[in-house]
Amino acid sequence: MIGFSDQQVPAQAFSTSTRRLNASPAKPSAPEPISIDQYHRLADRYIDTLVSKLEELQEQRRDVDCEYSAGVLNLEFPPAGTYVFNKQPPNKQIWLSSPISGPKRYDYVLTSSSTPEASEESTGSDGAARSGVGIESEEKKGEWVYLRDGTTLTGLLKEELGVDMDEEG
């Protein structure tokens, strides 16, 4: 027992661990530095997948209307209202206007730890240094994240629309 003034506390109640119980992963503080070409490839892939999933949803629910034109995705989703998704190349973001959660700007953030194949400089099989591998490597996985609160676009789609972007369609 360790004593503090009038209070006796068992010694095993203390820990030097910095891990908090029930702590969520740390909120990302900055987007991944990607080129404009990488941004377009990643955003287009995500939005194309989203359009496919929303078209499937539209076939199941006649009241849902999905239209993708000129880089803007409009989704009428009764009774919630209208969602608008669009790319913002100057900021390398995907923007969303939701009738439930409001406007959000999503940045691409890495979700997996760096691997030798995904680092800025790695060594090839011949032992020569290879630079600029960076995000080009498909080994690096990321997610579109709202940096203000750490929520993901994938999570919001599942919560508000019931659309699972991780599930094969």
Side-chain angles (χ1 to χ4, degrees):
M1 297 292 252
I2 299 174
F4 291 101
S5 54
D6 295 22
Q7 192 177 22
Q8 294 291 318
V9 180
Q12 66 269 21
F14 294 98
S15 171
T16 58
S17 171
T18 58
R19 187 177 67 87
R20 294 183 329 203
L21 296 177
N22 300 321
S24 59
K27 180 174 79 168
S29 60
E32 180 64 18
I34 56 177
S35 72
I36 194 69
D37 290 337
Q38 293 163 333
Y39 161 76
H40 282 295
R41 191 169 49 251
L42 292 163
D44 288 343
R45 184 181 316 144
Y46 193 89
I47 290 175
D48 289 346
T49 301
L50 177 58
V51 168
S52 295
K53 295 210 177 256
L54 293 175
E55 287 173 345
E56 290 173 14
L57 181 63
Q58 186 174 339
E59 290 176 13
Q60 297 168 5
R61 286 185 50 184
R62 297 285 177 204
D63 61 340
V64 171
D65 185 34
C66 171
E67 182 181 327
Y68 186 50
S69 176
V72 178
L73 172 58
N74 286 293
L75 173 66
E76 293 288 332
F77 193 80
T82 303
Y83 288 80
V84 180
F85 302 83
N86 64 300
K87 289 174 33 179
Q88 287 294 315
N91 301 336
K92 298 178 188 169
Q93 296 173 326
I94 294 177
W95 286 9
L96 163 69
S97 175
S98 162
I100 296 172
S101 58
K104 293 190 177 186
R105 299 173 179 193
Y106 292 90
D107 291 281
Y108 194 75
V109 175
L110 290 183
T111 55
S112 65
S113 61
S114 294
T115 61
E117 296 83 15
S119 64
E120 280 303 312
E121 183 168 312
S122 64
T123 305
S125 58
D126 61 357
R130 306 276 190 253
S131 63
V133 174
I135 195 78
E136 292 288 307
S137 171
E138 289 300 318
E139 299 298 316
K140 284 181 131 179
K141 298 261 186 213
E143 184 70 67
W144 294 99
V145 176
Y146 183 52
L147 295 177
R148 288 188 176 204
D149 65 9
T151 59
T152 65
L153 181 53
T154 297
L156 181 135
L157 292 169
K158 183 150 185 147
E159 183 179 321
E160 292 187 16
L161 302 172
V163 172
D164 189 349
M165 293 293 286
D166 294 326
E167 185 177 275
E168 292 293 322

